[in-house]
Amino acid sequence: MSRSLPEPRSASLELRPATAGDVTALLTLMDSVHAWLVARGRPEQWGTVPFSRIPGFPGRVADWARQGVVTLAERDGRCVGMLAAAPVIPPRIPAGAVPGGSMFVHTVMTDRGPGGHGAGAALLEEAERLAGAHGAPALALDHWAGSPELDRLYDEHGYVKVTEYTDEQAGEPVRNAVRVRSLRIPG
């Protein structure tokens, strides 16, 4: 199932389920976003090691693709975004922070160049569609709490911060925010 979403200034954006054949493109995207953050002096979000070099991580991405939890955003046949969403809350999330049965956005990222324009919003809309298909009462996600840009972005998309927790990145404590977006359930 592939859906085209119109983009006024560039080629249309296509969303489709990722396959095992997309793992290299997904890791390339993830590494480029990581490099973009590190170049801007923000290694706190994901550390300094590119995703493709984290032991076991490429296999995890391949597992996500096989499990059907990754949506790929393409423009002109090039991966410009990804969404990993599933009805599984990670164990790092404080108990009770997320309503039971929620869909969790494990990652959403987009190309930082013009090719990624509009991909993030489209992928968050896709997460809402997926949550609705699962009958989930809410969408939830977590993100690095040190980013005013992420706070603003998720506020604009209706994700309410419900708590924070501290995790560890390269031996250093890192604050993360948990956000929830309640969904209307027809009834």
Side-chain angles (χ1 to χ4, degrees):
M1 171 182 93
S2 180
R3 293 182 298 128
S4 288
L5 302 169
E7 288 295 317
R9 288 186 254 160
S10 60
S12 67
L13 185 68
E14 297 249 338
L15 300 182
R16 65 171 176 82
T19 68
D22 295 315
V23 171
T24 299
L26 292 167
L27 288 168
T28 298
L29 170 72
M30 295 175 87
D31 283 352
S32 75
V33 173
H34 176 265
W36 182 86
L37 285 168
V38 171
R40 280 153 185 76
R42 296 175 67 176
E44 301 89 350
Q45 186 162 351
W46 292 319
T48 57
V49 177
F51 289 103
S52 62
R53 293 189 183 166
I54 297 171
F57 194 81
R60 187 180 325 165
V61 173
D63 287 345
W64 289 347
R66 277 192 293 278
Q67 293 168 17
V69 300
V70 177
T71 300
L72 181 85
E74 289 181 310
R75 185 167 280 132
D76 293 329
R78 188 171 80 77
C79 176
V80 296
M82 69 171 291
L83 163 74
V88 177
I89 308 304
R92 69 181 178 267
I93 303 301
V98 175
S102 292
M103 177 73 69
F104 197 86
V105 174
H106 294 270
T107 192
V108 61
M109 62 177 68
T110 62
D111 184 300
R112 305 317 309 154
H117 178 75
L123 289 166
L124 288 175
E125 288 174 19
E126 178 67 1
E128 184 174 348
R129 189 193 69 73
L130 292 168
H134 278 87
L139 273 164
L141 55 81
D142 64 339
H143 67 84
W144 177 48
S147 171
E149 296 88 356
L150 289 174
D151 285 337
R152 189 171 38 260
L153 172 82
Y154 291 125
D155 283 344
E156 289 171 1
H157 286 277
Y159 289 82
V160 176
K161 186 162 92 172
V162 294
T163 193
E164 288 189 4
Y165 68 95
T166 302
D167 208 357
E168 189 175 296
Q169 182 73 263
E172 296 294 323
V174 176
R175 274 183 328 120
N176 294 287
V178 178
R179 292 177 170 268
V180 174
R181 180 169 185 249
S182 294
L183 303 174
R184 284 192 198 158
I185 298 184

